[in-house]
Amino acid sequence: MADFNQMIIDEFRSNGGHVSTAGFGDALVVLHSVGAKSGEIRLNPLMAIPEDGSWLIVGSAAGSPKHPAWVHNLRAHPALDVEVPGDGAVRTIAVTVSEVPDDEWDANWQKFLDASEGFAKYVETAEGRRFPIFRLTPA
């Protein structure tokens, strides 16, 4: 998976934020999370839904029954950098992370379902795990 992620990150950076691989298009960001235990920077390319100057991301882990490691990292260190596409270039901005509250979860989850049918398939393999949704807001 690390090699695939690095390939996506390289394509993202080389093409101004556009990724043709797997049909991602312009819907990705590269999250620079801080390891909760290690303190090391971890890079994760994630599908993101723009929303009023912020972005929504979801901890689906491709339908795994376990949260991706970056979920724990965001909860431990909610101030970080993210690479975002815009105007044919990638820029890095500081963001603060907040988890979408329960009363907003359904509406925001629907945005991911509307964006990609793959998210509906992830539910089938997640063994009942509810995927956390986070909002990245420029600091």
Side-chain angles (χ1 to χ4, degrees):
M1 184 62 107
D3 290 341
F4 179 75
N5 281 351
Q6 190 59 55
M7 181 182 72
I8 297 299
I9 291 167
D10 292 346
E11 185 176 350
F12 177 87
R13 290 173 174 166
S14 296
N15 295 317
H18 183 82
V19 178
S20 297
T21 301
F24 288 120
D26 297 320
L28 292 182
V29 298
V30 176
L31 192 69
H32 294 222
S33 65
V34 178
K37 293 180 183 177
S38 70
E40 294 179 18
I41 299 295
R42 309 283 188 207
L43 301 181
N44 295 99
L46 301 169
M47 182 187 160
I49 296 177
E51 181 187 71
D52 300 326
S54 64
W55 296 266
L56 295 172
I57 58 173
V58 62
S60 64
S64 169
K66 297 174 77 174
H67 291 321
W70 61 260
V71 166
H72 183 64
N73 295 344
L74 293 188
R75 289 175 175 157
H77 301 287
L80 50 95
D81 290 338
V82 65
E83 295 175 50
V84 297
D87 298 325
V90 171
R91 58 193 171 101
T92 302
I93 61 170
V95 296
T96 55
V97 178
S98 58
E99 195 159 350
V100 169
D102 288 343
D103 63 340
E104 296 177 20
W105 191 89
D106 288 333
N108 284 299
W109 175 241
Q110 189 60 51
K111 293 173 186 177
F112 285 93
L113 293 173
D114 292 344
S116 173
E117 65 186 31
F119 287 105
K121 294 176 184 171
Y122 292 167
V123 172
E124 297 171 11
T125 59
E127 298 179 5
R129 179 172 72 89
R130 181 171 156 171
F131 305 133
I133 300 173
F134 297 91
R135 182 172 284 109
L136 309 176
T137 304

